[in-house]
Amino acid sequence: MPRPKRHLLATAQETLFPPASLPENHLIAKVRKAEGKNLYSVALPSSSPTEKTLLVELPSRFRSQIWLKRGGYVVVDTGAFAGRDNKLDGEIVNVVRDEREWRKREYWPAEFVKKSSYLEESDEEESRVGELPPSDDDEVEG
C-alpha cells in the first residue's frame, strides 16, 4: 500500500525553505552522479575540512518522492555513519529545491556561487558581427 499523500506533502514542505543555520557536521554538497541503490556521489566545496568526494545515502523518507539530478545540491550529515564501519561517508538530510533562497544564506559555500552562462568579453579581440568580409582591394594594397 502506498504512503499517504500527507507524507509526500510534509517531505516536500520541509525541503522548500532553507534552515536558519546548519549544524557543524552538516555540509552543502553538489550531486555528481547516482551510484545506484539510493547511493549518490557528491562533491564538497574545497573549503570543507573533509575529503572532496563522498558516497552518501538517500534516506527512505526522500525515496520515490524527491528526485535528485546531477548538478543539484543537497545537505549531507557527515556524522551519521561515523560509528559504523562501512563505505558510506554520510546521509542526505535535506535537498536544496529553491536554490535562489539557499544562496542568500551565509552558510552557502563561496565555491558554489552561480556562474554566468555568458562568455566574458575580452578587450583584445573585437567582434566582427555585422561587418562585411574584406574586399580584394584591401588584400592587394598590403
Side-chain angles (χ1 to χ4, degrees):
M1 183 157 84
R3 293 181 183 173
K5 193 170 188 170
R6 68 177 177 268
H7 291 298
L8 172 66
L9 296 175
T11 302
Q13 186 66 25
E14 81 179 39
T15 62
L16 193 56
F17 299 107
S21 65
L22 289 179
E24 63 183 51
N25 59 345
H26 288 194
L27 299 170
I28 296 177
K30 188 173 190 175
V31 178
R32 293 185 112 180
K33 73 179 206 178
E35 299 288 345
K37 295 281 186 181
N38 301 310
L39 298 177
Y40 291 88
S41 177
V42 298
L44 295 177
S46 59
S47 61
S48 65
T50 58
E51 59 193 58
K52 293 204 58 110
T53 303
L54 300 176
L55 183 66
V56 296
E57 181 184 23
L58 187 68
S60 60
R61 67 185 174 142
F62 292 129
R63 294 177 191 163
S64 300
Q65 295 183 10
I66 293 180
W67 302 100
L68 300 179
K69 64 179 182 174
R70 275 182 290 172
Y73 297 98
V74 294
V75 178
V76 176
D77 181 8
T78 56
F81 296 114
R84 297 184 190 176
D85 185 29
N86 59 13
K87 63 181 179 177
L88 294 177
D89 298 314
E91 181 180 39
I92 296 173
V93 292
N94 204 343
V95 178
V96 175
R97 290 181 53 215
D98 187 10
E99 196 174 312
R100 186 176 292 168
E101 281 296 316
W102 283 76
R103 287 184 187 279
K104 295 177 185 176
R105 302 297 179 164
E106 66 276 354
Y107 51 77
W108 187 265
E111 184 178 314
F112 292 150
V113 173
K114 191 168 191 169
K115 297 175 184 161
S116 175
S117 60
Y118 297 107
L119 297 174
E120 296 287 331
E121 292 185 25
S122 63
D123 295 333
E124 300 170 3
E125 203 174 300
E126 293 181 18
S127 175
R128 298 200 179 257
V129 175
E131 293 183 7
L132 293 173
S135 65
D136 294 335
D137 297 337
D138 294 340
E139 294 174 4
V140 174
E141 288 176 10

